[in-house]
Amino acid sequence: MHYPVGRCPGCGQPATAKVLLTTITVSSDMAETLQEVSDGVLEDITYLARSKHRVRILDLLTGGSYTRGEVGGTTGIARTTIDRIVNEFEDRGWAERTTEGEYRATPTGERVATEFAPFVESMEAIRKLGDLVAWLPTDDVPIDLRHFNDATIRRPDPTDPTSTVSHLTTLLREASEFHCIVGVAPPVAFEKSMRDRVVSGELTTEHVITEGEYRYLLEDRERLPRWHEYVAAGANLYLHEGAVPCNLFVFDDTVFVAHSQGAVGDPLVGVESVDETVRSWALEVIREYRTNAARLDADSF
């Protein structure tokens, strides 16, 4: 994907700017909460977070009652470690011994395990995504980052800067449904595939573009006939006033959040996911922008 020379079509910023980069800030409410948190709360978090064995044993005891020997047989953790951790859990009120001599999590322990698991999963996703997490459009439609745990980070092959775009084109050619919000003009191969599959009746679309992209397309006489045919054949194309938070695509069950560094010809990187929660979130984001967008007809090109 590329920007027209000079300025980004989505927001009018210089093409060399990282125009899709958003920032993560801590709200004033969050700052106040962190200032008021007690040492005991931080100590509980630290205690559980510093040991995989503690997390695993608490999770196990949340699912049923076990003797210490059964805990060892299930987890493979040494008996001396199990004895120490179970005793610590009892002291904290997170586990209790039953009349049958087994151990299970208390309601408090169950709640600790339930609340801790999503936090761990979210942290795993943040570590995996790295700096890409900054431009996921989570402000308009929130989503727990833990749902990106199984996402694939796609970066261009060093020997082929267009490999990510080629991958997206393949996804498009195999899809029957295509949803997107974009602020950049697509590569010609991708554009032709959009047109061809809609014309052939193999693809339905929900396609939101920005004013900047629309103006850029109007200036490219070679592209105009393809877009006219695309819409005339039944593509649902909408014009959004202003910028969009990212380039977001849904190809059937596959979600792709794309990011370019902003300069002409820069390679495309992105986050790809087949998680159903991520797909539902992506469709909601796209429809949020489509709701306030104007429908374009074939004569618009």
Side-chain angles (χ1 to χ4, degrees), residues 11 22 43 60 89 150 174 176 191 194 203 220 228 250 286:
C11 62
T22 59
E43 197 279 327
L60 180 66
F89 283 174
D150 296 328
E174 296 174 350
S176 60
E191 181 177 278
M194 285 182 355
L203 185 70
D220 192 329
H228 179 90
V250 180
I286 292 169

Side-chain angles (χ1 to χ4, degrees), residues 211-221 223-224 299-301:
E211 289 180 296
E213 180 184 356
Y214 179 55
R215 290 194 301 270
Y216 175 63
L217 293 173
L218 292 180
E219 294 173 1
D220 192 329
R221 294 299 175 183
R223 289 179 180 263
L224 285 180
D299 290 338
S300 301
F301 297 91

Side-chain angles (χ1 to χ4, degrees), residues 180-182 206-210 237-238 240 286 289-290 293:
C180 69
I181 54 171
V182 289
E206 181 184 31
H207 190 153
V208 182
I209 64 174
T210 63
L237 186 65
Y238 303 87
H240 169 71
I286 292 169
Y289 281 84
R290 184 207 65 191

Side-chain angles (χ1 to χ4, degrees), residues 57-58 60-68 70-71 82-83 85-111:
I57 292 173
L58 184 60
L60 180 66
L61 297 182
T62 298
S65 299
Y66 299 85
T67 65
R68 297 190 183 205
E70 288 172 338
V71 171
I82 293 171
D83 289 343
I85 291 174
V86 170
N87 289 340
E88 292 169 350
F89 283 174
E90 286 188 282
D91 292 340
R92 290 175 178 272
W94 293 359
E96 61 187 1
R97 188 183 184 192
T98 69
T99 55
E100 291 79 18
E102 298 176 331
Y103 290 86
R104 65 187 178 197
T106 63
T108 299
E110 291 178 358
R111 177 59 65 180

Side-chain angles (χ1 to χ4, degrees), residues 218-282:
L218 292 180
E219 294 173 1
D220 192 329
R221 294 299 175 183
E222 292 185 7
R223 289 179 180 263
L224 285 180
R226 283 194 291 270
W227 283 85
H228 179 90
E229 294 169 6
Y230 177 60
V231 180
N236 298 303
L237 186 65
Y238 303 87
L239 180 63
H240 169 71
E241 294 184 3
V244 293
C246 67
N247 300 301
L248 179 61
F249 306 87
V250 180
F251 307 93
D252 288 344
D253 297 328
T254 302
V255 175
F256 196 93
V257 190
H259 176 67
S260 171
Q261 294 300 315
V264 177
D266 274 357
L268 192 73
V269 299
V271 179
E272 182 175 322
S273 174
V274 294
D275 182 275
E276 179 55 35
T277 299
V278 173
R279 180 179 184 273
S280 297
W281 162 80

Side-chain angles (χ1 to χ4, degrees), residues 43 54 124 131 274 297:
E43 197 279 327
R54 293 168 187 163
E124 287 179 348
D131 60 346
V274 294
D297 58 25

